[in-house]
């Protein structure tokens, strides 16, 4: 079996399965048992009404509005109430059909309902298919603290149907591409060149995209099998993320996660040049790919002070020092502490002025 048919992921909780399928609804229909409960992204419920009909008429289900408010801890009570009222028992499974929001809600509830029920997942966004579906993390929001409650609780089986991406918005496609690019850069030069050369094809050709998704997951799998609980080596995947999270939040999610991470990686690379870890040529080489992905998205309006304040709130940081992932080259990302002093502020001012001049 090739990686593009499927593979399994070892986890300390269980070994779980990832399958590439042509028809997510058919694959789920042959897997489900009476009483298994579906949590379906509301937009998919409309876009794929006829394909979902046999599943929805056979199984109890709920439509989920995929936004950050619905991922709020206090909003989960209503969902849990309905699951219990509609007869979900410990031996039933929850089934998420949707993107990262539907995943996080379903995964989190699965991990606590009756002290844990099994769950299945059909990811429907590129971000969820190429990244979040594996790795065990479930995260929900608690007031202003985004993704601060959670657990490590993987689904038993993941069914990836790249055909679902035909209806995804161009901006959400770019968000997923940004997240994928980050895995390819952390992996090394061969993978960087692969994604750079196939980037345009990925947006048009589902076979090219499927190959990139499979490779992205293979890179991530190797790392999460070594450090599932994010205690050491897996932290290099935070590359671009401290800055990215800040940009995402400060633009009120107008710049979606993976696009914000694209800017975040470029900023990390810029700081890496200023600190003498990489040269300008390498930064520009990577930037050409990242710029293709961020297009005309803009973040510089948030300002340097806004960025610094938001970084201070990042869960990994204390005082005027921030923990960031910088790079000594492709495949050579490392965790370090950045002192936010006058010198660093000067670099950030320079970076923002340059971005504003370029329309970002
Ligand atoms: N648990 C993890 O490991 C992990 C990792 C990364 C991100 N996340 C979380 O994932 C969330 C973001 O998820 P996301 O980017 O996958 O998207 P999402 O779930 O927020 O969905 C984005 C939009 O796309 C729509 N949509 C979904 N699938 C579609 C399709 N096939 N066609 C048309 N529209 C579709 C949704 O209805 C929604 O409007 C954030 O809350 C983030 O914190 C979790
Ligand atoms: Zn990410």
């Amino acid at each position: 079996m090739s990686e593009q048919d499927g593979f399994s992921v070892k986890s300390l909780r269980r070994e779980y399965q990832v399958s590439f399928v042509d028809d997510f609804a058919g694959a789920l229909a042959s897997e489900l048992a009476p009483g298994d409960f579906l949590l379906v992204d509301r937009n998919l419920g409309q876009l794929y009404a006829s394909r979902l009909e046999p599943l929805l008429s056979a199984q109890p289900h709920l439509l989920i509005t995929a936004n950050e408010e619905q991922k709020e801890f206090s909003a989960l009570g209503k969902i849990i109430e309905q699951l219990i009222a509609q007869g979900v028992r410990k031996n039933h499974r929850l089934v998420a059909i949707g993107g990262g929001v539907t995943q996080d809600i379903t995964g989190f509830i699965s991990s606590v309902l009756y002290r844990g029920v099994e769950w299945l997942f059909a990811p429907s966004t590129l971000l969820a298919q190429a990244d979040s579906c594996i790795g065990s993390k479930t995260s929900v929001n608690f007031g202003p603290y985004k993704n601060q409650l959670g657990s490590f609780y993987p689904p038993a089986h993941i069914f990836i149907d790249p055909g679902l991406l035909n209806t995804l918005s161009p901006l959400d496609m770019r968000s997923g591409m940004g997240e994928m690019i980050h895995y390819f850069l952390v992996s090394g030069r061969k993978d960087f060149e692969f994604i750079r050369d196939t980037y345009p094809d990925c947006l048009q050709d589902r076979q090219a995209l499927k190959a990139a998704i499979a490779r992205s997951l293979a890179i991530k799998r190797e790392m999460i099998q070594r450090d599932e609980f994010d205690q050491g080596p897996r932290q290099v995947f935070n590359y671009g993320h401290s800055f990215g999270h800040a940009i995402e939040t400060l633009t009120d999610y107008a710049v979606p996660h993976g696009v914000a991470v694209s800017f975040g990686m470029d900023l990390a690379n810029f700081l890496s040049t200023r600190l003498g870890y990489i040269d300008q040529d390498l930064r520009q080489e990577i930037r050409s790919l990242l710029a293709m992905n961020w297009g005309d998205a803009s973040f510089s309006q948030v300002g340097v002070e806004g960025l610094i304040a938001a970084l201070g709130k990042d869960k990994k940081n204390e005082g005027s020092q921030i923990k960031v992932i910088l790079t000594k080259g492709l495949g050579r990302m490392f965790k370090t502490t950045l002192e936010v002093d006058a010198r660093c502020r000067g670099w950030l001012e320079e970076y923002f002025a340059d971005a504003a001049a370029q329309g970002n």
Side-chain angles (χ1 to χ4, degrees), residues 102 105 221 247 291 302 308 315-316:
T102 311
I105 292 170
R221 177 180 61 161
I247 291 170
V302 307
I308 291 172
K315 57 185 177 272
K316 299 165 215 78

Side-chain angles (χ1 to χ4, degrees), residues 131-145:
D131 170 23
S132 66
C133 68
I134 65 169
S136 316
K137 288 185 184 174
T138 82
S139 313
V140 300
N141 303 332
F142 189 69
Y145 308 105

Side-chain angles (χ1 to χ4, degrees), residues 33-242:
D36 288 346
F37 195 105
L38 309 177
L39 292 101
V40 183
D41 180 302
R42 190 177 296 283
N43 287 330
L44 291 181
Q46 287 190 340
L47 288 165
Y48 296 88
S50 59
R51 281 172 71 186
L52 283 166
E53 201 279 326
L55 278 178
L56 299 188
S57 56
Q59 309 288 148
H61 60 272
L62 254 186
L63 296 176
I64 301 288
T65 305
N67 60 30
E68 293 298 321
E69 289 75 55
Q70 187 58 68
K71 232 181 84 166
E72 180 64 45
F73 181 64
S74 57
L76 301 182
K78 273 215 154 47
I79 297 178
I80 295 173
E81 219 174 275
Q82 295 190 57
L83 296 176
I84 295 173
Q86 293 197 46
V88 173
R89 300 284 173 266
K90 188 161 173 63
N91 61 317
H92 294 140
R93 292 169 298 176
L94 303 188
V95 185
I97 306 177
V101 167
T102 311
Q103 167 187 354
D104 274 338
I105 292 170
T106 309
F108 182 80
I109 293 177
S110 298
S111 73
V112 290
L113 184 65
Y114 308 131
R115 290 176 206 84
V117 298
E118 210 170 85
W119 70 292
L120 310 172
F121 184 28
S124 69
T125 60
L126 181 53
L127 182 134
Q129 293 193 352
D131 170 23
S132 66
C133 68
I134 65 169
S136 316
K137 288 185 184 174
T138 82
S139 313
V140 300
N141 303 332
F142 189 69
Y145 308 105
K146 182 172 151 61
N147 285 341
Q148 297 299 291
L149 297 183
S151 49
F152 289 92
Y153 199 77
H157 202 147
I158 296 152
F159 299 90
I160 299 180
D161 178 351
L164 274 170
L165 304 177
N166 292 336
T167 51
L168 199 62
S169 73
L171 191 59
D172 280 319
M173 278 300 287
R174 287 205 273 134
S175 180
M177 289 302 295
E179 192 76 88
M180 275 209 287
I181 289 170
H182 124 279
Y183 285 111
F184 287 85
L185 298 186
V186 169
S187 174
R189 174 154 290 274
K190 197 163 157 239
D191 278 310
F192 161 67
E193 289 180 0
F194 170 78
I195 196 66
R196 180 194 63 195
D197 298 343
T198 56
Y199 182 95
D201 297 339
C202 284
L203 295 179
Q204 285 156 22
D205 167 10
R206 290 287 164 258
Q207 276 315 110
L209 184 60
K210 182 179 167 191
I213 293 171
R215 182 63 197 144
S216 177
L217 292 174
I219 296 167
K220 181 170 181 182
R221 177 180 61 161
E222 196 274 321
M223 186 66 86
I224 59 183
Q225 290 188 155
R226 272 201 282 150
D227 180 20
E228 183 175 8
F229 300 134
D230 216 356
Q231 285 166 333
R234 185 176 173 178
Q235 292 177 9
V236 292
F237 287 152
N238 287 329
Y239 175 51
H241 275 69
S242 288

